[in-house]
């Protein structure tokens, strides 16, 4: 009720439709890690922060058509709902992310959706048992990668590394690195890193392994088959998002 009252009474929110607010909520839900990363270390990583980063405001304003001046009020009204939403599985929002998100370094993380993905480490805090740090890690490094998927072809994505300055541990999507030693997190991730800038969907790796074991298909043949039949490279303009390297 507070939402509808605010929409009716607040002059800054008048003219904003319910559909725009639904899109606002849906687009921000998968960007929780991006929102947390830009907050001061004193801000909780489990609760929605009071403010959105400028790049997120710019993106969601352009994607929804809501004036950027009204975004902070929309966030104040809807942040609890955004935080409570489970990871959505959507595909219709791909165009909004591609058009408005890529240019400011934002991609979504819908599992198996036909959109680009942000691959964060699965934790926000340092997990080194010998490290005294208790605050969330904020030092990060983003790099462009591609993901080979079974159903959606090759997708552009961002791999985000978090770095603990107290113990010099770098946390990646699949593993952490300290003193040159990789430590894998243990569970089998949905996306497995197979090269410096390449990840592959776990199901696709399974298909490759099964093809080699049961049908004696050579790795080179599997590569050609994927490029010709499954990659969907011809349908995507990766240069729009600045992905310049070869797939
Ligand atoms: Zn540490």
């Amino acid at each position: 009720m507070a939402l509808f009252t605010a929409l009716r009474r607040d002059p800054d929110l008048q003219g904003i439709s319910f559909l725009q607010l639904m899109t606002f909520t849906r687009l921000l839900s998968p960007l929780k890690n991006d929102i947390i990363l830009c907050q001061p270390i004193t801000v909780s990583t489990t609760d929605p922060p009071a403010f959105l980063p400028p790049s997120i405001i710019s993106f969601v304003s352009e994607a929804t058509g809501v004036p950027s001046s009204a975004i902070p009020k929309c966030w104040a009204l809807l942040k609890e709902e955004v935080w409570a939403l489970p990871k959505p599985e959507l595909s219709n929002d791909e165009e909004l992310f591609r058009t408005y998100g890529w240019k400011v370094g934002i991609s979504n993380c819908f599992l198996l959706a036909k959109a680009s993905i942000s691959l964060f480490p699965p934790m926000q805090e340092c997990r080194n048992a010998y490290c005294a740090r208790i605050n969330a890690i904020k030092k990060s490094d983003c790099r462009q990668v591609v993901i080979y998927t079974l159903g959606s072809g090759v997708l552009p994505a961002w791999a985000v590394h978090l770095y603990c300055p107290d113990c010099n541990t770098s946390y990646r999507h699949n593993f952490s690195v300290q003193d040159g030693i990789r430590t894998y997190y243990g569970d089998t991730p949905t996306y497995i890193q197979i090269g410096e800038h390449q990840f592959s969907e776990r199901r696709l790796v399974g298909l490759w392994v099964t093809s080699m074991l049961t049908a004696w298909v050579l790795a080179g043949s599997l590569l050609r088959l994927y490029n010709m039949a499954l990659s969907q490279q011809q349908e995507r303009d990766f240069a729009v998002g600045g992905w310049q390297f070869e797939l």
Side-chain angles (χ1 to χ4, degrees):
M1 290 303 291
L3 173 64
F4 291 108
T5 304
L7 285 175
R8 206 168 52 241
R9 294 182 178 172
D10 192 323
D12 290 338
L13 301 179
Q14 286 180 359
I16 299 175
S17 69
F18 190 62
L19 181 61
Q20 285 175 299
L21 293 178
M22 287 178 62
T23 307
F24 175 93
T25 306
R26 207 171 60 243
L27 292 180
L28 289 184
S29 173
L31 296 176
K32 291 174 195 170
N33 282 322
D34 301 80
I35 294 170
I36 291 171
L37 193 57
C38 298
Q39 304 297 323
I41 58 173
T42 51
V43 173
S44 164
T45 59
T46 54
D47 300 320
F51 303 103
L52 289 174
S55 60
I56 300 284
I57 292 176
S58 174
F59 159 64
V60 77
S61 172
E62 288 197 67
T64 60
V66 174
S68 58
S69 58
I71 295 296
K73 287 189 176 179
C74 293
W75 175 248
L77 286 168
L78 294 168
K79 62 182 180 182
E80 298 292 344
E81 282 72 18
V82 170
W83 232 246
L85 279 176
K87 277 183 179 174
E89 295 188 11
L90 302 172
S91 60
N92 292 336
D93 293 322
E94 176 187 13
E95 191 61 24
L96 294 177
F97 275 98
R98 192 186 70 80
T99 304
Y100 302 112
W102 284 14
K103 62 186 178 186
V104 291
I106 292 173
S107 56
N108 71 14
C109 58
F110 301 149
L111 292 177
L112 306 183
K114 295 177 180 179
S116 50
I117 298 166
S118 293
L119 299 173
F120 275 80
M123 71 285 287
Q124 299 283 341
E125 294 83 18
C126 183
R127 296 288 176 86
N128 182 354
Y130 299 101
C131 179
R133 185 182 183 86
I134 55 174
N135 292 322
I137 305 171
K138 294 297 179 182
K139 193 171 183 180
S140 65
D141 170 42
C142 301
R143 56 188 63 190
Q144 294 172 335
V145 298
V146 292
I147 303 177
Y148 304 105
T149 72
L150 190 57
S152 302
V154 185
L155 299 176
W158 291 98
V160 181
H161 301 171
L162 296 178
Y163 178 76
C164 176
D166 293 23
C167 66
N168 300 319
T169 300
S170 175
Y171 289 90
R172 319 290 178 87
H173 186 61
N174 291 168
F175 54 83
S176 63
V177 182
Q178 188 188 37
D179 296 331
I181 298 174
R182 288 186 181 186
T183 303
Y184 285 82
Y185 299 136
D187 54 343
T188 307
T190 302
Y191 302 110
I192 300 170
Q193 186 165 2
I194 58 174
E196 186 64 24
H197 294 278
Q198 291 84 19
F199 285 76
S200 179
E201 188 184 350
R202 184 178 59 206
R203 292 193 309 155
L204 181 59
V205 173
L207 175 67
W208 288 336
V209 172
T210 305
S211 298
M212 286 191 278
L213 291 178
T214 62
W216 304 100
V217 182
L218 298 175
S221 300
L222 287 171
L223 182 64
R224 283 192 294 277
L225 185 152
Y226 185 82
N227 279 338
M228 294 174 67
L230 296 173
S231 70
Q232 302 181 32
Q233 289 186 49
Q234 298 82 357
E235 301 169 23
R236 301 210 169 93
D237 184 6
F238 278 42
V240 171
W243 273 255
Q244 301 293 342
F245 47 84
E246 294 289 325
L247 301 181

